[in-house]
Amino acid sequence: MFRNLSLRYKIPLRTSLLIAITAIAVSGSLMYGIYHDLKYDAQQNAERVSRILTHSLKPLLLRDDVWRAYEAIASPLQSSGEKSGYVIDEILILDAQQQVYVSSHPKQHPALAAFARIYPRLSQLNSVISKHREGAPRAVEIVQSGKSYMVTPIVSDEVFLGTLVMGYSSSTFLPHFYDIAWRSVYTTLIVAAILLPLSWFWAWRMALPLTQLSSSMAKVGAGSSLPEPEEFRLYESSDEIGRMSGAFKRMLCDLKHKESLEKQVLISERLAAVGRLTAGIAHEINNPLGGMLNAINTAKRHGSMDPQMQKTISLLERGLLQIKNIIGALLVEAKLQSHPLTVQDIEDTRTLVLANAYDKSAELVWENDIVETLPLPSTMVRQVLINLLLNAIQASENYVHCHICYDCGSLIIGVKNDGKHIGQEQMDYLFEPFATGREEGYGLGLWMTYQIVSQLNGMITMQSQPGETQFSVTLPVEMHA
């Protein structure tokens, strides 16, 4: 389950776990050190008291002054406490035979009683007392009883006089330790409470570029078409994630270009197939149509018909002529024998469409940069220009802009208007016959334009956005020079 989580959750959770482990480890090591330091301090205090008592007891033992020895060992019992880090429970002075010489608790440890009989179960302590007859004080911890004993030999002029045994609780320092431990835990919790939100924010910021890139990559294969690169808000920088985002954008642009090329190829192939089919059907219709028109013409010249028959024949003739015009539009053929394109041919086209612009109340902005004759079939170029201008005038709201120029060995025609936006669905079938977005017309103008441009080895493109639609035609000139 954790493996399938998003990085926006994985990174914060791992960071939080790391902070928790670090806090536990630091607090544990700190409390471990404090525990041993307090335990060591208690042992050092007990050793210091033992040394002082041993020094003061030497002359008393030499004089066999039992009462003064008792007073000497009773004083530490009254001054010890939790504030000093240790609490002395009992103090005994043993003679050289390990018998009680004097004790802080005479009833429990009567004089001349063998120490081994008083504490028969403390074999470890008895062993240390019997063997430790010189040197520094030695601590003995009895885990079962929870007490520790400081065993100090009393030696005067290399003569062993006895042993001082001081018992104190091993857990005397624990209240102080618990107080320090709780304060350490509280401090750790406060620091963790500050660090955890900061770590979540930092981890979220660090994971954000990756999640943005992941969601962007998911969008690429989610729909039927590739999204635009501008739709993505990716992290941009010179680090690894920024370079990855830049590479993804470049890949998306390449894919968009490839998709556009594939779409253009599909549209060209479809239009070519439709053109071949349409031309074949038009030829098949054109042959019997010509025969019917000839028959009507012969009947009108040589036949005697009453007025009703003449009216019927006229209706048939008009209908057949309309069909002939449609068929003629579908059978576009380049008439290369027409004269080259002159400046006057282009200006005549403007004159022809001015009346339509006036009827539509649209302003025609005209820019003609052609100043010399071009080796292009004037009839076909004029037909292309007229079709584009008429379509633009019909679709316009206020103005139509036409720019004609010669650049890089090609004639370039640009016609744009401020009419209704053309959607992508309509663009895919825009140059097919009978594809029209208006109630009037047959939808053959752009079809004829496309066929003429294709025959002249040119290219026609269309761009549409709200408030502006533009058709661009590029016709190479060198091929017809």
Side-chain angles (χ1 to χ4, degrees), residues 41-204:
D41 290 342
Q43 183 176 331
Q44 290 297 310
N45 289 333
E47 182 177 346
R48 184 168 57 254
V49 172
S50 296
R51 289 181 182 274
I52 295 173
L53 282 177
T54 301
H55 182 73
S56 61
L57 288 173
K58 287 180 183 180
L60 300 179
L61 292 179
L62 290 174
R63 294 197 303 269
D64 196 19
D65 192 344
V66 178
W67 180 250
R68 294 291 299 275
Y70 176 78
E71 290 180 344
I73 64 175
S75 178
L77 294 177
Q78 299 173 359
S79 60
S80 68
E82 293 185 3
K83 291 184 178 180
S84 61
Y86 66 97
V87 176
I88 299 176
D89 294 331
E90 55 185 346
I91 300 178
L92 295 89
I93 301 176
L94 306 180
D95 58 16
Q97 288 75 33
Q98 298 183 20
Q99 295 177 345
V100 177
Y101 179 75
V102 66
S103 170
S104 59
H105 303 289
K107 293 182 179 180
Q108 298 179 6
H109 315 122
L112 300 179
F115 184 80
R117 292 184 179 180
I118 298 174
Y119 295 110
R121 296 182 180 181
L122 302 182
S123 58
Q124 181 182 0
L125 179 59
N126 292 324
S127 175
V128 171
I129 292 174
S130 61
K131 295 179 181 180
H132 190 54
R133 293 180 172 268
E134 60 181 354
R138 183 174 178 181
V140 180
E141 182 177 2
I142 307 300
V143 180
Q144 295 86 349
S145 62
K147 292 181 66 175
S148 295
Y149 293 89
M150 187 64 64
V151 178
T152 308
I154 304 174
V155 180
S156 178
D157 296 330
E158 299 182 357
V159 177
F160 178 70
L161 301 179
T163 305
L164 174 66
V165 180
M166 185 171 63
Y168 58 94
S169 175
S170 301
S171 60
T172 305
F173 61 90
L174 286 181
H176 185 50
F177 168 74
Y178 291 147
D179 181 60
I180 297 176
W182 278 118
R183 280 184 287 175
S184 175
V185 170
Y186 291 150
T187 303
T188 303
L189 291 177
I190 292 173
V191 173
I194 297 173
L195 290 179
L196 284 176
L198 291 176
S199 67
W200 272 81
F201 176 75
W202 168 78
W204 178 81

Side-chain angles (χ1 to χ4, degrees), residues 234-252:
L234 297 178
Y235 176 76
E236 297 181 0
S237 69
S238 300
D239 58 13
E240 290 78 2
I241 300 178
R243 293 199 296 269
M244 189 184 302
S245 300
F248 173 74
K249 279 189 173 181
R250 292 192 296 271
M251 180 193 71
L252 184 60

Side-chain angles (χ1 to χ4, degrees), residues 224-404:
S224 57
S225 61
L226 294 172
E228 296 294 334
E230 294 77 14
E231 298 180 15
F232 301 123
R233 297 177 58 188
L234 297 178
Y235 176 76
E236 297 181 0
S237 69
S238 300
D239 58 13
E240 290 78 2
I241 300 178
R243 293 199 296 269
M244 189 184 302
S245 300
F248 173 74
K249 279 189 173 181
R250 292 192 296 271
M251 180 193 71
L252 184 60
C253 291
D254 293 340
L255 291 176
K256 287 290 292 183
H257 181 64
K258 180 182 177 183
E259 183 185 52
S260 177
L261 292 178
E262 290 176 350
K263 186 177 293 185
Q264 291 178 10
V265 170
L266 289 175
I267 292 175
S268 299
E269 292 179 351
R270 185 172 70 243
L271 289 175
V274 172
R276 291 191 297 268
L277 177 62
T278 305
I281 295 174
H283 276 294
E284 294 298 326
I285 296 176
N286 202 32
N287 292 330
L289 183 61
M292 287 188 286
L293 288 173
N294 288 333
I296 291 176
N297 191 28
T298 301
K300 289 174 63 177
R301 288 183 179 182
H302 305 288
S304 57
M305 295 177 287
D306 55 35
Q308 183 65 31
M309 180 61 70
Q310 290 180 357
K311 185 178 180 180
T312 302
I313 290 297
S314 298
L315 289 173
L316 288 173
E317 185 178 21
R318 284 197 299 271
L320 292 175
L321 287 174
Q322 185 175 357
I323 296 174
K324 183 179 180 181
N325 291 333
I326 296 175
I327 295 300
L330 295 175
L331 295 173
V332 179
E333 295 179 359
K335 300 176 177 60
L336 299 178
Q337 66 274 15
S338 62
H339 66 268
L341 181 67
T342 65
V343 178
Q344 190 59 44
D345 290 327
I346 298 175
E347 294 299 328
D348 289 344
T349 304
R350 176 190 180 191
T351 304
L352 290 174
V353 300
L354 275 176
N356 299 79
Y358 178 78
D359 294 338
K360 184 70 175 179
S361 299
E363 178 186 3
L364 177 59
V365 180
W366 185 267
E367 294 184 38
N368 181 15
D369 298 336
I370 303 299
V371 296
E372 59 182 355
T373 302
L374 299 177
L376 287 171
S378 59
T379 303
M380 308 199 73
V381 175
R382 281 161 49 94
Q383 186 65 49
V384 168
L385 190 53
I386 289 174
N387 288 343
L388 293 178
L389 286 171
L390 291 177
N391 280 345
I393 291 171
Q394 290 295 326
S396 68
E397 296 289 341
N398 297 304
Y399 78 94
V400 174
H401 181 272
C402 180
H403 183 212
I404 306 168

